[in-house]
PDB file of all heavy atoms in Angstrom:
ATOM      1  N   ILE Q 297     -11.566  30.278  -9.965  1.00 98.00           N
ATOM      2  CA  ILE Q 297     -10.882  31.199 -10.889  1.00 98.00           C
ATOM      3  C   ILE Q 297      -9.864  32.021 -10.111  1.00 98.00           C
ATOM      4  O   ILE Q 297     -10.200  32.672  -9.111  1.00 98.00           O
ATOM      5  CB  ILE Q 297     -11.900  32.121 -11.595  1.00 98.00           C
ATOM      6  CG1 ILE Q 297     -12.842  31.266 -12.458  1.00 98.00           C
ATOM      7  CG2 ILE Q 297     -11.183  33.175 -12.444  1.00 98.00           C
ATOM      8  CD1 ILE Q 297     -13.941  32.067 -13.130  1.00 98.00           C
ATOM      9  N   ILE Q 298      -8.619  31.964 -10.581  1.00 98.00           N
ATOM     10  CA  ILE Q 298      -7.515  32.643  -9.898  1.00 98.00           C
ATOM     11  C   ILE Q 298      -6.793  33.545 -10.908  1.00 98.00           C
ATOM     12  O   ILE Q 298      -6.188  33.046 -11.854  1.00 98.00           O
ATOM     13  CB  ILE Q 298      -6.509  31.617  -9.325  1.00 98.00           C
ATOM     14  CG1 ILE Q 298      -7.218  30.625  -8.394  1.00 98.00           C
ATOM     15  CG2 ILE Q 298      -5.358  32.318  -8.622  1.00 98.00           C
ATOM     16  CD1 ILE Q 298      -6.307  29.533  -7.832  1.00 98.00           C
ATOM     17  N   PRO Q 299      -6.856  34.865 -10.726  1.00 98.00           N
ATOM     18  CA  PRO Q 299      -6.062  35.738 -11.610  1.00 98.00           C
ATOM     19  C   PRO Q 299      -4.565  35.469 -11.404  1.00 98.00           C
ATOM     20  O   PRO Q 299      -4.107  35.275 -10.269  1.00 98.00           O
ATOM     21  CB  PRO Q 299      -6.426  37.152 -11.140  1.00 98.00           C
ATOM     22  CG  PRO Q 299      -7.748  36.998 -10.440  1.00 98.00           C
ATOM     23  CD  PRO Q 299      -7.696  35.645  -9.800  1.00 98.00           C
ATOM     24  N   ALA Q 300      -3.820  35.418 -12.508  1.00 98.00           N
ATOM     25  CA  ALA Q 300      -2.369  35.218 -12.432  1.00 98.00           C
ATOM     26  C   ALA Q 300      -1.670  36.519 -12.816  1.00 98.00           C
ATOM     27  O   ALA Q 300      -2.159  37.225 -13.701  1.00 98.00           O
ATOM     28  CB  ALA Q 300      -1.946  34.098 -13.369  1.00 98.00           C
ATOM     29  N   PRO Q 301      -0.523  36.854 -12.231  1.00 98.00           N
ATOM     30  CA  PRO Q 301       0.164  36.058 -11.222  1.00 98.00           C
ATOM     31  C   PRO Q 301      -0.582  36.075  -9.884  1.00 98.00           C
ATOM     32  O   PRO Q 301      -1.284  37.033  -9.576  1.00 98.00           O
ATOM     33  CB  PRO Q 301       1.527  36.727 -11.106  1.00 98.00           C
ATOM     34  CG  PRO Q 301       1.310  38.141 -11.519  1.00 98.00           C
ATOM     35  CD  PRO Q 301       0.234  38.096 -12.559  1.00 98.00           C
ATOM     36  N   TYR Q 302      -0.390  35.005  -9.127  1.00 98.00           N
ATOM     37  CA  TYR Q 302      -1.161  34.790  -7.895  1.00 98.00           C
ATOM     38  C   TYR Q 302      -0.229  34.449  -6.739  1.00 98.00           C
ATOM     39  O   TYR Q 302       0.928  34.059  -6.943  1.00 98.00           O
ATOM     40  CB  TYR Q 302      -2.139  33.622  -8.095  1.00 98.00           C
ATOM     41  CG  TYR Q 302      -1.487  32.434  -8.791  1.00 98.00           C
ATOM     42  CD1 TYR Q 302      -0.583  31.620  -8.143  1.00 98.00           C
ATOM     43  CD2 TYR Q 302      -1.758  32.166 -10.143  1.00 98.00           C
ATOM     44  CE1 TYR Q 302       0.028  30.556  -8.793  1.00 98.00           C
ATOM     45  CE2 TYR Q 302      -1.144  31.101 -10.799  1.00 98.00           C
ATOM     46  CZ  TYR Q 302      -0.254  30.306 -10.103  1.00 98.00           C
ATOM     47  OH  TYR Q 302       0.369  29.266 -10.750  1.00 98.00           O
ATOM     48  N   TRP Q 303      -0.748  34.582  -5.516  1.00 96.00           N
ATOM     49  CA  TRP Q 303      -0.008  34.130  -4.330  1.00 96.00           C
ATOM     50  C   TRP Q 303       0.176  32.622  -4.453  1.00 96.00           C
ATOM     51  O   TRP Q 303      -0.782  31.894  -4.755  1.00 96.00           O
ATOM     52  CB  TRP Q 303      -0.777  34.488  -3.058  1.00 96.00           C
ATOM     53  CG  TRP Q 303      -0.076  34.063  -1.802  1.00 96.00           C
ATOM     54  CD1 TRP Q 303       1.269  34.177  -1.541  1.00 96.00           C
ATOM     55  CD2 TRP Q 303      -0.656  33.446  -0.650  1.00 96.00           C
ATOM     56  NE1 TRP Q 303       1.540  33.671  -0.291  1.00 96.00           N
ATOM     57  CE2 TRP Q 303       0.387  33.223   0.275  1.00 96.00           C
ATOM     58  CE3 TRP Q 303      -1.956  33.070  -0.306  1.00 96.00           C
ATOM     59  CZ2 TRP Q 303       0.167  32.636   1.517  1.00 96.00           C
ATOM     60  CZ3 TRP Q 303      -2.176  32.494   0.929  1.00 96.00           C
ATOM     61  CH2 TRP Q 303      -1.127  32.278   1.830  1.00 96.00           C
ATOM     62  N   VAL Q 304       1.401  32.173  -4.236  1.00 92.00           N
ATOM     63  CA  VAL Q 304       1.772  30.782  -4.554  1.00 92.00           C
ATOM     64  C   VAL Q 304       0.864  29.728  -3.940  1.00 92.00           C
ATOM     65  O   VAL Q 304       0.711  28.640  -4.506  1.00 92.00           O
ATOM     66  CB  VAL Q 304       3.218  30.473  -4.117  1.00 92.00           C
ATOM     67  CG1 VAL Q 304       4.213  31.175  -5.019  1.00 92.00           C
ATOM     68  CG2 VAL Q 304       3.474  30.848  -2.668  1.00 92.00           C
ATOM     69  N   SER Q 305       0.271  29.997  -2.804  1.00 93.00           N
ATOM     70  CA  SER Q 305      -0.479  28.949  -2.106  1.00 93.00           C
ATOM     71  C   SER Q 305      -1.870  28.689  -2.680  1.00 93.00           C
ATOM     72  O   SER Q 305      -2.450  27.628  -2.427  1.00 93.00           O
ATOM     73  CB  SER Q 305      -0.624  29.306  -0.622  1.00 93.00           C
ATOM     74  OG  SER Q 305       0.631  29.321  -0.012  1.00 93.00           O
ATOM     75  N   TYR Q 306      -2.423  29.660  -3.422  1.00 97.00           N
ATOM     76  CA  TYR Q 306      -3.818  29.499  -3.858  1.00 97.00           C
ATOM     77  C   TYR Q 306      -4.066  28.200  -4.640  1.00 97.00           C
ATOM     78  O   TYR Q 306      -4.962  27.417  -4.273  1.00 97.00           O
ATOM     79  CB  TYR Q 306      -4.275  30.670  -4.721  1.00 97.00           C
ATOM     80  CG  TYR Q 306      -4.388  32.030  -4.074  1.00 97.00           C
ATOM     81  CD1 TYR Q 306      -4.189  33.177  -4.825  1.00 97.00           C
ATOM     82  CD2 TYR Q 306      -4.733  32.184  -2.736  1.00 97.00           C
ATOM     83  CE1 TYR Q 306      -4.307  34.443  -4.274  1.00 97.00           C
ATOM     84  CE2 TYR Q 306      -4.844  33.446  -2.174  1.00 97.00           C
ATOM     85  CZ  TYR Q 306      -4.629  34.574  -2.947  1.00 97.00           C
ATOM     86  OH  TYR Q 306      -4.750  35.826  -2.411  1.00 97.00           O
ATOM     87  N   PRO Q 307      -3.328  27.957  -5.742  1.00 96.00           N
ATOM     88  CA  PRO Q 307      -3.673  26.770  -6.543  1.00 96.00           C
ATOM     89  C   PRO Q 307      -3.537  25.474  -5.758  1.00 96.00           C
ATOM     90  O   PRO Q 307      -4.369  24.573  -5.889  1.00 96.00           O
ATOM     91  CB  PRO Q 307      -2.655  26.795  -7.692  1.00 96.00           C
ATOM     92  CG  PRO Q 307      -2.085  28.163  -7.710  1.00 96.00           C
ATOM     93  CD  PRO Q 307      -2.217  28.710  -6.328  1.00 96.00           C
ATOM     94  N   ASP Q 308      -2.523  25.410  -4.915  1.00 94.00           N
ATOM     95  CA  ASP Q 308      -2.311  24.158  -4.192  1.00 94.00           C
ATOM     96  C   ASP Q 308      -3.359  23.954  -3.102  1.00 94.00           C
ATOM     97  O   ASP Q 308      -3.771  22.828  -2.829  1.00 94.00           O
ATOM     98  CB  ASP Q 308      -0.884  24.125  -3.643  1.00 94.00           C
ATOM     99  CG  ASP Q 308       0.113  24.062  -4.792  1.00 94.00           C
ATOM    100  OD1 ASP Q 308       0.213  22.991  -5.406  1.00 94.00           O
ATOM    101  OD2 ASP Q 308       0.721  25.088  -5.116  1.00 94.00           O
ATOM    102  N   MET Q 309      -3.815  25.037  -2.509  1.00 95.00           N
ATOM    103  CA  MET Q 309      -4.895  24.888  -1.524  1.00 95.00           C
ATOM    104  C   MET Q 309      -6.184  24.438  -2.215  1.00 95.00           C
ATOM    105  O   MET Q 309      -6.933  23.622  -1.670  1.00 95.00           O
ATOM    106  CB  MET Q 309      -5.106  26.193  -0.761  1.00 95.00           C
ATOM    107  CG  MET Q 309      -3.989  26.459   0.232  1.00 95.00           C
ATOM    108  SD  MET Q 309      -4.436  27.615   1.548  1.00 95.00           S
ATOM    109  CE  MET Q 309      -4.269  29.159   0.726  1.00 95.00           C
ATOM    110  N   VAL Q 310      -6.431  24.952  -3.413  1.00 97.00           N
ATOM    111  CA  VAL Q 310      -7.613  24.508  -4.172  1.00 97.00           C
ATOM    112  C   VAL Q 310      -7.502  23.011  -4.460  1.00 97.00           C
ATOM    113  O   VAL Q 310      -8.457  22.240  -4.266  1.00 97.00           O
ATOM    114  CB  VAL Q 310      -7.735  25.305  -5.497  1.00 97.00           C
ATOM    115  CG1 VAL Q 310      -8.770  24.682  -6.421  1.00 97.00           C
ATOM    116  CG2 VAL Q 310      -8.076  26.767  -5.212  1.00 97.00           C
ATOM    117  N   LYS Q 311      -6.303  22.587  -4.869  1.00 95.00           N
ATOM    118  CA  LYS Q 311      -6.120  21.168  -5.200  1.00 95.00           C
ATOM    119  C   LYS Q 311      -6.251  20.295  -3.961  1.00 95.00           C
ATOM    120  O   LYS Q 311      -6.824  19.202  -4.023  1.00 95.00           O
ATOM    121  CB  LYS Q 311      -4.755  20.966  -5.851  1.00 95.00           C
ATOM    122  CG  LYS Q 311      -4.673  21.537  -7.267  1.00 95.00           C
ATOM    123  CD  LYS Q 311      -3.305  21.238  -7.822  1.00 95.00           C
ATOM    124  CE  LYS Q 311      -2.996  22.086  -9.038  1.00 95.00           C
ATOM    125  NZ  LYS Q 311      -1.551  22.104  -9.320  1.00 95.00           N
ATOM    126  N   LEU Q 312      -5.727  20.753  -2.828  1.00 93.00           N
ATOM    127  CA  LEU Q 312      -5.876  19.982  -1.586  1.00 93.00           C
ATOM    128  C   LEU Q 312      -7.354  19.792  -1.248  1.00 93.00           C
ATOM    129  O   LEU Q 312      -7.745  18.767  -0.695  1.00 93.00           O
ATOM    130  CB  LEU Q 312      -5.182  20.690  -0.424  1.00 93.00           C
ATOM    131  CG  LEU Q 312      -3.687  20.430  -0.244  1.00 93.00           C
ATOM    132  CD1 LEU Q 312      -3.128  21.335   0.848  1.00 93.00           C
ATOM    133  CD2 LEU Q 312      -3.418  18.971   0.099  1.00 93.00           C
ATOM    134  N   GLY Q 313      -8.159  20.789  -1.581  1.00 94.00           N
ATOM    135  CA  GLY Q 313      -9.596  20.699  -1.320  1.00 94.00           C
ATOM    136  C   GLY Q 313     -10.338  19.901  -2.380  1.00 94.00           C
ATOM    137  O   GLY Q 313     -11.559  19.774  -2.320  1.00 94.00           O
TER     138      GLY Q 313
END
Side-chain angles (χ1 to χ4, degrees):
I297 297 176
I298 304 177
Y302 45 73
W303 180 42
V304 288
S305 295
Y306 294 150
D308 294 287
M309 287 201 280
V310 169
K311 289 182 196 162
L312 275 173

